[in-house]
Amino acid sequence: MLETQLTKQILRTTDTYIKSLNKAWILTVWDFLNILPRDFEDRTNVIDTFSFVNIKETNTLLVEVVSLDNQKTWNWKLLTKLIIKDKNGFMSECVWFNRNYLATKLNVLIWKKVIISGKAKYDFWKLSFLSPEIETDLSKVGWEIVPIYSDTNYIPGTWIASKMD
């Protein structure tokens, strides 16, 4: 079983991913299972107020989504801003660039609680998170240690992590 060649039926994926894995010499199930994470991210310490955010580290916060705004920048990039609120009512924002699909995905989260994980930045007297990860499953609060995989031959590490689950 471990010496079986990777196919799109085994990984439930497309031919493009299989070809990219083959170019990276990941040919069998054994090769795929031997991809090791480069790091682990500890998401067990979930905070619910912005006053406990550490700017030097990755933070995991339980927040409520208030609004979503899409706009074009001066150089025609799409800027997506998600306004979030902590339990004390203080506001902050999450920012993404050039993610067209994200606007429709995030639009259903308005006025719902989510878990965001990312590095905070304090500029122009406000706290913001640049490209954080968003988790809508609140049952994962406080017990998750996430493996971080390197991107391999144009395959995102998040795709590898999703297939390892």
Side-chain angles (χ1 to χ4, degrees), residues 32-164:
F32 189 77
L33 290 176
N34 278 324
I35 300 174
L36 298 175
R38 67 173 165 82
D39 197 10
F40 291 95
E41 187 175 299
D42 185 11
R43 294 185 183 172
T44 56
N45 184 19
V46 178
I47 54 179
D48 54 2
T49 59
F50 295 133
S51 59
F52 295 126
V53 169
N54 186 350
I55 296 178
K56 296 180 181 179
E57 294 180 2
T58 301
N59 298 286
T60 304
L61 289 107
L62 178 64
V63 294
E64 184 177 355
V65 176
V66 176
S67 69
L68 176 70
D69 183 32
N70 286 322
Q71 50 189 308
K72 294 280 187 183
T73 61
W74 63 272
N75 56 356
W76 296 101
K77 290 184 178 180
L78 178 67
L79 175 68
T80 303
K81 283 186 185 179
L82 187 71
I83 307 298
I84 55 175
K85 179 175 74 169
D86 68 354
K87 76 172 187 176
N88 295 331
F90 293 110
M91 303 281 194
S92 181
E93 65 184 18
C94 300
V95 179
W96 293 270
F97 287 99
N98 289 335
R99 304 250 180 110
N100 295 336
Y101 66 92
L102 202 56
T104 56
K105 180 181 170 188
L106 295 176
N107 203 19
V108 298
L109 298 177
I110 295 177
W111 299 114
K112 293 185 179 170
K113 289 199 178 270
V114 295
I115 303 167
I116 65 165
S117 181
K119 270 196 135 175
K121 183 178 179 184
Y122 190 71
D123 268 342
F124 302 108
W125 300 279
K126 65 180 176 181
L127 188 69
S128 61
F129 296 88
L130 187 60
S131 298
E133 292 183 29
I134 293 184
E135 178 65 48
T136 56
D137 185 8
L138 296 182
S139 66
K140 293 184 177 181
V141 174
W143 62 270
E144 198 171 42
I145 296 178
V146 180
I148 307 296
Y149 291 93
S150 298
D151 294 350
T152 305
N153 205 24
Y154 300 109
I155 297 175
T158 53
W159 181 87
I160 295 172
S162 70
K163 296 301 176 184
M164 289 291 184

Side-chain angles (χ1 to χ4, degrees), residues 12-31:
R12 295 188 179 114
T13 188
T14 62
D15 286 328
T16 308
Y17 280 108
I18 297 298
K19 288 177 185 175
S20 295
L21 287 169
N22 288 339
K23 285 181 185 176
W25 291 97
I26 302 169
L27 305 171
T28 63
V29 175
W30 175 256
D31 295 336

